[in-house]
Amino acid sequence: MTKEDLRIVYMGTPDFAVESLRALVEGGYHVVAVVTMPDKPVGRHGSVLQPSPVKQYAVEHGLKVMQPEKLKDPAFVEELRSLK
């Protein structure tokens, strides 16, 4: 099995998690999805949503982003299964 044959679902949210994701992407690994925390409201009235650093990197590189409220959510689990 080669690294291109692997199907990786990466889970991370903070700044330091971006480096691991970057290493996988630049290393030619097949990252099929990125799971990160939902966007957080910021600002005085909480009206602006701030994406996580991992989500920003994933979007810039065209990776599928998943942001479940709960990891045990049946819809999220089924979506993970569909990625094989």
Side-chain angles (χ1 to χ4, degrees), residues 14-67:
D15 288 327
F16 69 84
V18 175
E19 290 307 313
S20 300
L21 178 58
R22 178 175 301 150
L24 290 170
V25 170
E26 291 176 0
Y29 288 89
H30 187 198
V31 179
V32 295
V34 172
V35 180
T36 189
M37 296 289 292
D39 297 348
K40 302 253 180 189
V42 295
R44 178 172 233 163
H45 302 289
S47 58
V48 177
L49 293 177
Q50 176 70 40
S52 73
V54 167
K55 179 182 179 181
Q56 291 174 4
Y57 180 86
V59 168
E60 290 170 6
H61 289 84
L63 301 172
K64 176 181 178 66
V65 176
M66 301 168 72
Q67 296 182 281

